[in-house]
Amino acid sequence: MANPVKVHNDLLGATVKANLEKRGFEAYYCENKEQALAKALELIPETDVVSWGGSVSIEEIGLLNAVKQRNKVIDRDTAKTPEERVEIMRQGLLCDTFLMSTNAMSKDGVLVNIDGNGNRVGALCYGPKQIVMVIGVNKIMGSVESAVARAREIAAPTNVQRFPGTNTPCAKLGVCMNCIVPECVCAQVVITRKSRPAGRIKVILVGEELGF
């Protein structure tokens, strides 16, 4: 008997892939992390300068390590001072390929992302020649409204735990309190309903859970 979870994920992936393509995204479905890594590297020329936003998903499939070994990269984690880190993040907005995931998306192909500094969503909107996104099926929701809810109630409160000492209500309570404190990680909420120009944003859907 076929694995019902795999069957469901494969069907869901095919449906969402088709919906993304209707919106101008270049979309792919991969059954697992290994296929997703191979597809991502296929989409990134070895001559490209690569940068990325904070993403557990691209780390989980091994993409971050792979591009560091193969491509010239703009890596904010190499900074020695906070000021240098900001400058490196600014440089990343003009790279050839920018890597990221999404906090959530709707089954009809709309992406939802929340950001504190804005560099990740800034790159998504404009700057890099192409965006390569890696998205696990756990981030697909039924509607844009439920995708926004997931981004705020699950992704943001979980992601903030990656940065100990962050002074936000969600870091302390585990739930979004719709705060406006100085360290708020939800300063920017961006809904991307179409890739313009067509094909600039490349989405790799993965039939496994990835990220938060």
Side-chain angles (χ1 to χ4, degrees), residues 51-52 73-95 98 117 119:
S51 193
W52 51 86
V73 300
I74 299 173
D75 183 359
R76 63 186 177 182
D77 289 336
T78 62
K80 296 178 176 60
T81 65
E83 293 76 17
E84 185 182 5
R85 184 178 177 86
V86 170
E87 183 55 34
I88 291 173
M89 289 164 65
R90 285 165 54 87
Q91 294 172 14
L93 297 176
L94 293 177
C95 69
F98 192 88
N117 293 319
N119 65 299

Coordinates of all heavy atoms in Angstrom, one line a residue, residues 51-52 73-95 98 117 119:
S51 N 23.8 35.2 -2.3 CA 23.5 35.6 -0.9 C 22.2 35.0 -0.4 O 21.6 34.3 -1.2 CB 23.5 37.1 -0.8 OG 23.6 37.5 0.6
W52 N 21.9 35.3 0.8 CA 20.7 34.6 1.3 C 20.1 35.4 2.5 O 20.8 36.2 3.2 CB 21.0 33.2 1.8 CG 22.2 33.1 2.7 CD1 22.2 33.2 4.0 CD2 23.6 32.8 2.3 NE1 23.5 33.1 4.5 CE2 24.4 32.8 3.4 CE3 24.2 32.6 1.0 CZ2 25.7 32.6 3.4 CZ3 25.5 32.4 1.0 CH2 26.3 32.4 2.1
V73 N 30.2 34.1 -2.6 CA 29.0 34.4 -1.7 C 29.2 35.7 -1.0 O 30.3 36.2 -0.8 CB 28.7 33.3 -0.7 CG1 28.5 32.0 -1.4 CG2 29.9 33.1 0.3
I74 N 28.1 36.3 -0.7 CA 28.0 37.5 0.2 C 27.4 37.0 1.5 O 26.2 36.8 1.6 CB 27.2 38.6 -0.5 CG1 27.8 39.0 -1.8 CG2 27.1 39.8 0.5 CD1 27.0 40.0 -2.6
D75 N 28.2 36.8 2.5 CA 27.8 36.2 3.8 C 27.9 37.2 4.9 O 29.0 37.5 5.4 CB 28.6 34.9 4.0 CG 28.2 34.2 5.2 OD1 27.3 34.6 5.9 OD2 28.9 33.1 5.5
R76 N 26.7 37.6 5.5 CA 26.7 38.6 6.6 C 27.4 38.0 7.8 O 27.8 38.8 8.7 CB 25.3 39.0 6.9 CG 24.4 37.9 7.3 CD 23.0 38.4 7.5 NE 22.1 37.3 7.9 CZ 20.8 37.4 8.0 NH1 20.2 38.6 7.8 NH2 20.0 36.4 8.4
D77 N 27.4 36.7 8.0 CA 28.0 36.1 9.2 C 29.5 36.2 9.2 O 30.2 35.9 10.2 CB 27.6 34.6 9.3 CG 26.1 34.5 9.7 OD1 25.6 35.4 10.2 OD2 25.5 33.4 9.4
T78 N 30.1 36.7 8.1 CA 31.6 37.0 8.1 C 32.0 38.3 8.7 O 33.1 38.6 8.9 CB 32.2 36.9 6.7 OG1 31.6 37.9 5.9 CG2 31.9 35.5 6.1
A79 N 30.9 39.1 9.0 CA 31.2 40.5 9.5 C 31.8 40.5 10.9 O 31.5 39.6 11.7 CB 29.9 41.3 9.6
K80 N 32.7 41.4 11.1 CA 33.4 41.5 12.4 C 32.7 42.6 13.3 O 33.0 42.6 14.5 CB 34.9 41.9 12.2 CG 35.6 40.8 11.5 CD 37.1 41.2 11.2 CE 37.9 40.1 10.6 NZ 37.3 39.7 9.3
T81 N 31.9 43.4 12.8 CA 31.2 44.4 13.6 C 29.7 44.5 13.1 O 29.4 44.1 12.0 CB 31.9 45.8 13.4 OG1 31.7 46.2 12.0 CG2 33.3 45.8 13.7
P82 N 28.9 45.1 14.0 CA 27.5 45.3 13.5 C 27.3 46.1 12.3 O 26.5 45.9 11.4 CB 26.8 45.9 14.8 CG 27.7 45.5 15.9 CD 29.1 45.4 15.4
E83 N 28.2 47.1 12.2 CA 28.2 48.1 11.1 C 28.6 47.3 9.8 O 27.9 47.5 8.7 CB 29.1 49.2 11.3 CG 28.7 50.2 12.4 CD 29.0 49.6 13.8 OE1 29.8 48.7 13.9 OE2 28.4 50.1 14.8
E84 N 29.6 46.5 9.9 CA 30.0 45.7 8.7 C 28.9 44.7 8.3 O 28.7 44.5 7.1 CB 31.3 44.9 9.0 CG 31.8 44.2 7.8 CD 33.1 43.4 8.1 OE1 33.5 43.3 9.3 OE2 33.7 42.8 7.1
R85 N 28.2 44.2 9.3 CA 27.1 43.2 9.0 C 26.0 43.9 8.2 O 25.5 43.4 7.2 CB 26.6 42.7 10.3 CG 25.5 41.6 10.1 CD 25.0 41.1 11.5 NE 23.9 40.2 11.4 CZ 24.1 38.9 11.2 NH1 25.3 38.3 11.1 NH2 23.1 38.0 11.1
V86 N 25.7 45.1 8.6 CA 24.6 45.9 7.8 C 25.1 46.1 6.4 O 24.3 46.0 5.4 CB 24.3 47.2 8.6 CG1 23.5 48.1 7.7 CG2 23.6 46.9 9.9
E87 N 26.4 46.5 6.2 CA 26.9 46.8 4.9 C 26.9 45.6 4.0 O 26.5 45.6 2.8 CB 28.3 47.4 5.0 CG 28.9 47.8 3.6 CD 28.0 48.8 2.9 OE1 27.3 49.6 3.5 OE2 28.0 48.7 1.6
I88 N 27.2 44.4 4.6 CA 27.2 43.2 3.8 C 25.8 42.8 3.4 O 25.5 42.4 2.3 CB 27.8 42.0 4.6 CG1 29.4 42.3 4.8 CG2 27.6 40.7 3.9 CD1 30.1 41.3 5.7
M89 N 24.8 43.0 4.3 CA 23.4 42.8 4.0 C 23.0 43.7 2.8 O 22.2 43.3 2.0 CB 22.6 43.0 5.2 CG 22.7 41.9 6.3 SD 22.1 42.3 7.9 CE 20.4 42.4 7.6
R90 N 23.4 44.9 2.8 CA 23.1 45.9 1.7 C 23.7 45.4 0.4 O 23.0 45.4 -0.6 CB 23.6 47.3 2.0 CG 22.8 48.0 3.1 CD 23.6 49.2 3.6 NE 24.1 50.1 2.6 CZ 23.3 51.1 2.0 NH1 22.1 51.3 2.5 NH2 23.8 51.8 1.1
Q91 N 24.9 44.8 0.4 CA 25.5 44.3 -0.8 C 24.8 43.1 -1.3 O 24.7 42.9 -2.5 CB 27.0 43.9 -0.5 CG 27.9 45.1 -0.1 CD 29.3 44.6 0.3 OE1 29.6 43.4 0.2 NE2 30.0 45.5 0.9
G92 N 24.2 42.3 -0.4 CA 23.4 41.2 -0.8 C 22.2 41.5 -1.7 O 21.7 40.6 -2.4
L93 N 21.7 42.7 -1.6 CA 20.5 43.1 -2.4 C 20.8 43.2 -3.8 O 19.9 43.3 -4.7 CB 20.0 44.4 -1.8 CG 19.5 44.4 -0.4 CD1 19.0 45.8 0.0 CD2 18.3 43.4 -0.2
L94 N 22.1 43.2 -4.2 CA 22.5 43.3 -5.6 C 23.3 42.0 -6.1 O 24.0 42.1 -7.1 CB 23.4 44.5 -5.9 CG 22.6 45.8 -5.7 CD1 23.6 47.0 -5.9 CD2 21.5 46.0 -6.7
C95 N 23.0 40.9 -5.4 CA 23.7 39.6 -5.9 C 22.9 39.1 -7.1 O 21.9 39.6 -7.5 CB 23.7 38.6 -4.7 SG 22.0 38.0 -4.3
F98 N 19.6 35.1 -4.9 CA 19.3 35.2 -3.5 C 18.5 34.0 -3.0 O 17.5 33.7 -3.7 CB 18.5 36.5 -3.2 CG 18.4 36.9 -1.8 CD1 19.4 37.7 -1.1 CD2 17.3 36.5 -1.0 CE1 19.3 38.0 0.2 CE2 17.2 36.8 0.4 CZ 18.2 37.6 0.9
N117 N 14.4 43.1 9.9 CA 15.3 44.1 9.3 C 14.8 44.5 7.9 O 15.0 45.6 7.5 CB 16.7 43.6 9.2 CG 17.4 43.4 10.6 OD1 17.2 44.3 11.4 ND2 18.1 42.3 10.7
N119 N 15.8 43.0 5.1 CA 16.7 42.7 4.0 C 16.2 41.5 3.2 O 16.3 41.4 1.9 CB 18.1 42.4 4.5 CG 18.1 41.2 5.4 OD1 17.5 41.1 6.5 ND2 18.9 40.1 5.0

